Amino acid sequence: MNYKIFTHAALKLNFIKQNIVSTQAQFFFIASALMFVFKIFFGTPDTFILILLLDVIIAASIFFLLLALIKFENSRTAAPLSLVLNVGILLAIMFFILVFSDYLLPGIFDNINLKLNNPGLVYNIVSFIYVMLMIGFISFFLITLRHFFFLNQRKNVKVYFNTMLVFFILASLSINFFSDEELSFLSTTFFAVSVLLMIFNSIRISWIAFLSKKEKTYLLLLSFVITILFIVNILNSAEGNIYSQILTAFSPSLRQFNQMIMIYGSIYFVFLFFTTLFHLPTAEAYDRKAQEVTSLQYFSKLITEVLDFNDLAETVTDITQKLSGSKASWIIWKNGVKPSTLAAKNIGFIESDKLTAQILERISFENLTSTKTFSLKERVVNNTSENLFSVVSVSPIKTRGETQGILVAAKGQDQIFTQDDLSAIETFSDYASVAIENSRLLEESIEKERLEKELDVAREIQRKILPSDVPKYPALDIASVFIPAFEVGGDYYDFFKISETKLGFVIADVSGKGISAAFIMAEVKGIFESLSKTMERPKEILIKANDILKETLDSKSFVSAAYGYFDFKENKLIFARAGHCPLFLLRGADSKQIRPSGLGLGLSSKEYFEQTLEEYSIDLMKDDTIVLYTDGVTEAKNERLEDFGDKHFLNVLQANVLLNAEELSNKIIKEITVFSSSHDQYDDITLVIFKWQQ
């Protein structure tokens, strides 16, 4: 526990040492201690050596205090107005000290003149504290004036300021060492040069140009009060006052240095007052330019941050109103046939719609290529809100090279748009165009990304709906291929084990593409899975499937399908086709398309569907090849947009009929890939091949 307390205390002391008590501050305390000891032992020195020694100690004390204050100043960022206010507060405190010194100190020490000649220990302590307080004041004033002098100036600032300080020191020391009448001209000369340098350095005030009108007005008031306080304090510290007597008794050089700083402060703030006064008429123009720059910087940042179009439109009208000093602002957006009003600022939508109608009578989106203004005076109607506005400016908001919106700024009666107003609005409308186009592109990108994710989910659903492998039977070689297009399609195939001697199959294609087709495909899978467990005949299953889908599909959707089964015991294939692609039968050198009649599922009533649906039976022979496919196979296109076609498909089948089912399917896919290599696949390709082997 004790160890923790000791460690914590050590860390705290180290922190104070590093951050508060700097090396310069430590030297200042040492110099101050020496000064105190000197005054205790020697009082008021009367020899040249002791006077020089005391002045050196005082100079060292002020020097290290200035260094410590400069280091503290560099570690923080202080606003000029805050520093000015601090100077005013310290001057006020100094004023009260000077005034009350004349009343309090004589009361404490009875005869202050006697104490000045024969100081005791108590008087030395009090006078030391008094002097140190004044050293603190003048050091702060000097550092603050230095800060103002260095602010926003780049060339030779240290040379000018340090030269002035050198003459301050020479003028202060000369009081002690050139007091003879023959050499007094040196003291006067140093003082005069110092005052000239004060004037020269005080002229160089550039930082107030960057203040707003409100800040300049505030500074004007402060600089007036501070100038008065500096002058009053100089008068209060004149010879004969207690303050002057104490400082003179302590060190005549210190008193002179104090006076030099006070004079410099009064001169600087006099120039600051008049410079601020001369800047005031142009302050409004500067504020406006600053507002333009700030707004454009802010908006440039928003271009990459604001994603919502409506938020962006609100920001555009808000900044437009501020930039142009207009009473209201809004956006007319080309929204289909009838333009709409967006982000109305400081105006109701009813009023903005009325003015929009007047504006669109004068101009059109197509003809507006730059900022224009026109008066509404001739259209003012009494007793309505329209008479609040007399002139408007309109600027195009372009996206993708076309004017999609109009940025409107409206001013009231007796107001006009200056050239600066129009330039600012036009510049800002260009920024707004870029921002709005970015926002639109971003929205499209997000929407596209969202759709892509949905499509990915749909593709995954589609992949899981299809069988992962084909059934294995000694009498039947089976191969299947499914190649999805970029979009989700509605192709579907599946196998159903009806019994030990019968294998059912289905191949289907949902009309249309996209997620809706994928969901219909999922529904079709459920229907055929359920029906294949309760029915056997293909025609019955397709009739029932049509009944179900007729109730669930909309009038624009349908499903083509072929359902059948292999009977291994009877060596037969029985199937029916509901509007689907025909079946290819390859038997030796012979080949044919088998195309039993049948309408697509979901298109017609039960009775008509049943009348037109034909069930077909094939007596199978060894090496018979049966090929089922979707239209993605025959409608695959080459660079001349020609279809792969039934004839080309049949030629490929006949040329490779001796291959097994897997090899044949690979050969077909290779031929399709080569044929359509220069054209994107736009439809799913599904291929199911059976090869009878008994």
Side-chain angles (χ1 to χ4, degrees), residues 65-263:
L65 180 58
L66 291 176
L67 290 181
L69 290 175
I70 290 172
K71 185 176 182 181
F72 178 73
E73 177 198 26
N74 292 336
S75 66
R76 57 197 288 271
T77 303
L81 284 182
S82 298
L83 288 175
V84 171
L85 183 61
N86 290 338
V87 169
I89 293 171
L90 285 182
L91 278 171
I93 294 172
M94 190 176 182
F95 168 77
F96 285 109
I97 291 175
L98 296 181
V99 170
F100 286 105
S101 294
D102 289 340
Y103 297 98
L104 292 177
L105 292 180
I108 294 173
F109 297 106
D110 295 332
N111 191 337
I112 194 70
N113 292 325
L114 183 62
K115 289 291 181 186
L116 290 172
N117 295 324
N118 298 295
L121 179 62
V122 175
Y123 175 80
N124 279 330
I125 293 173
V126 172
S127 65
F128 175 78
I129 296 172
Y130 192 85
V131 168
M132 293 306 297
L133 191 61
M134 293 304 151
I135 288 177
F137 282 154
I138 60 176
S139 298
F140 180 81
F141 295 149
L142 185 59
I143 288 299
T144 305
L145 292 169
R146 175 183 175 275
H147 179 85
F148 291 149
F149 181 73
F150 278 44
L151 204 59
N152 294 327
Q153 294 198 61
R154 298 179 185 277
K155 292 183 179 179
N156 303 323
V157 285
K158 287 187 177 179
V159 174
Y160 292 133
F161 194 81
N162 291 337
T163 303
M164 183 181 68
L165 282 184
V166 168
F167 276 91
F168 280 11
I169 295 170
L170 291 174
S172 301
L173 294 177
S174 63
I175 292 294
N176 267 334
F177 305 110
F178 304 115
S179 57
D180 294 341
E181 189 174 347
E182 294 179 355
L183 297 176
S184 62
F185 74 94
L186 287 174
S187 176
T188 305
T189 302
F190 290 143
F191 180 81
V193 174
S194 297
V195 172
L196 289 175
L197 289 173
M198 290 178 200
I199 296 172
F200 177 76
N201 287 344
S202 298
I203 294 172
R204 307 179 67 182
I205 301 174
S206 58
W207 55 272
I208 61 170
F210 302 97
L211 299 180
S212 65
K213 183 179 181 182
K214 183 179 179 182
E215 290 172 328
K216 285 172 182 168
T217 306
Y218 184 50
L219 178 62
L220 192 69
L221 177 64
L222 281 178
S223 58
F224 177 77
V225 174
I226 289 173
T227 302
I228 298 298
L229 283 173
F230 266 118
I231 294 173
V232 170
N233 286 342
I234 290 171
L235 296 176
N236 284 338
S237 60
E239 291 186 7
N241 291 340
I242 295 298
Y243 169 76
S244 174
Q245 293 179 40
I246 293 175
L247 250 63
T248 303
F250 200 92
S251 169
S253 299
L254 177 60
R255 179 187 175 278
Q256 182 66 10
F257 188 73
N258 171 75
Q259 292 295 92
M260 302 291 291
I261 299 300
M262 301 300 285
I263 294 170

Side-chain angles (χ1 to χ4, degrees), residues 330 359 372-376 390-394 408-411 417:
W330 67 96
I359 292 168
K372 299 181 184 300
T373 63
F374 51 84
S375 173
L376 295 175
S390 60
V391 59
V392 295
S393 76
V394 291
V408 183
K411 287 197 173 186
F417 283 99

Side-chain angles (χ1 to χ4, degrees), residues 10 60 110 131 137 155 166 194 225 264 292 360 372 401 406 408 431 441 459 498 514 548 582 601 636 661 673 677:
D110 295 332
V131 168
F137 282 154
K155 292 183 179 179
V166 168
S194 297
V225 174
Y264 178 39
E292 288 178 13
L360 294 179
K372 299 181 184 300
I406 299 174
V408 183
Y431 272 78
L441 290 174
R459 288 192 194 98
I498 300 173
I548 297 171
L601 301 173
T673 303
S677 59

Side-chain angles (χ1 to χ4, degrees), residues 8 47 75 164 290 315 330 392 404 424 426 462 578 630 692:
H8 178 72
T47 64
S75 66
M164 183 181 68
T315 306
W330 67 96
V392 295
Q404 294 293 331
E426 184 153 312
Q462 186 180 31
T630 58
W692 190 253

Side-chain angles (χ1 to χ4, degrees), residues 548-619:
I548 297 171
L549 292 173
K550 178 66 180 172
E551 297 296 325
T552 58
L553 297 182
D554 58 48
S555 59
K556 297 178 181 178
S557 301
F558 68 94
V559 179
S560 69
Y563 182 86
Y565 67 88
F566 288 94
D567 188 335
F568 299 110
K569 187 176 180 180
E570 300 294 333
N571 292 343
K572 284 183 177 295
L573 166 63
I574 295 91
F575 80 101
R577 186 181 70 98
H580 196 73
C581 299
L583 175 151
F584 274 111
L585 173 62
L586 306 174
R587 178 170 291 168
D590 296 332
S591 61
K592 63 178 179 180
Q593 278 187 324
I594 300 176
R595 194 189 297 265
S597 63
L599 299 173
L601 301 173
L603 286 175
S604 56
S605 63
K606 177 181 179 181
E607 293 75 16
Y608 189 71
F609 182 82
E610 186 174 355
Q611 290 174 7
T612 56
L613 185 64
E614 181 184 1
E615 188 174 271
Y616 196 87
S617 176
I618 301 174
D619 292 325

